[in-house]
């Protein structure tokens, strides 16, 4: 039963952090409004929440966004505490998630390979 509670709390935290970023409430210049909170893993005892941040820009930019959010973690936790009525607000730890960027790079490489193979077949037919 505790894992369902942790999962629900993770979804709520994900929505609330996303809305704070989208509304521009986080004033850190390292935090882009185009980031995506990909997932939130809350520990079983609800003391920690690992928040994974991603976007389609460069990997260094994703890391900068995560660092900016980590520096604003106290503000975010206070906003979560005001909205969520639970005894203990999980301590937030932000991590860069390069999965979206890696997937985007993979799709570009596949498209490039198919384009190159099509050009080779056209050249071989001539």
């Amino acid at each position: 039963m505790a894992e369902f509670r942790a999962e629900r709390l993770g979804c709520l935290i994900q929505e609330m952090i996303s809305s704070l970023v989208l509304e521009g409430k986080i004033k850190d210049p390292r935090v882009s409004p185009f980031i995506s909170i990909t997932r939130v893993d809350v520990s079983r005892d609800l003391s920690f929440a690992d928040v994974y941040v991603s976007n389609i820009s460069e990997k260094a930019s994703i890391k900068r966004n995560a660092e900016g959010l980590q520096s604003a973690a106290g503000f975010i936790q206070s906003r979560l505490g005001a909205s969520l009525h639970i005894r203990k607000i999980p301590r937030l730890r932000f991590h860069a998630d390069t999965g979206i960027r890696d997937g985007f790079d993979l799709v570009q490489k596949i498209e490039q390979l198919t384009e190159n193979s099509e050009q080779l077949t056209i050249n071989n037919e001539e």
Side-chain angles (χ1 to χ4, degrees):
M1 197 68 159
E3 60 268 1
F4 296 119
R5 182 171 186 207
E7 188 176 327
R8 281 191 319 230
L9 183 61
C11 289
L12 284 172
I13 290 172
Q14 182 177 1
E15 289 176 17
M16 294 184 77
I17 294 173
S18 295
S19 68
L20 286 173
V21 170
L22 191 59
E23 293 169 3
K25 304 267 174 144
I26 300 173
K27 302 294 184 192
D28 194 308
R30 295 175 286 184
V31 178
S32 168
F34 301 111
I35 63 170
S36 175
I37 307 299
T38 55
R39 77 175 191 263
V40 177
D41 294 333
V42 180
S43 65
R44 291 181 64 96
D45 62 352
L46 307 179
S47 61
F48 289 98
D50 291 313
V51 182
Y52 295 90
V53 180
S54 184
N55 62 10
I56 60 169
S57 64
E58 304 150 2
K59 292 181 182 182
S61 172
I62 297 169
K63 188 174 181 182
R64 247 189 341 269
N65 283 312
E67 290 170 354
L69 285 170
Q70 187 63 52
S71 70
F75 169 74
I76 296 169
Q77 283 176 214
S78 68
R79 296 300 295 251
L80 289 174
S83 300
L84 300 174
H85 301 291
I86 58 176
R87 187 179 319 173
K88 185 177 179 182
I89 300 298
R91 195 158 172 211
L92 301 175
R93 298 182 292 199
F94 291 91
H95 307 282
D97 182 10
T98 59
I100 292 176
R101 181 65 198 172
D102 293 341
F104 186 71
D105 289 342
L106 185 64
V107 168
Q108 283 183 331
K109 289 177 183 177
I110 291 172
E111 288 176 353
Q112 187 179 22
L113 284 173
T114 56
E115 184 178 302
N116 288 344
S117 67
E118 287 174 1
Q119 287 180 356
L120 283 174
T121 56
I122 289 172
N123 290 340
N124 287 339
E125 289 175 359
E126 293 176 353

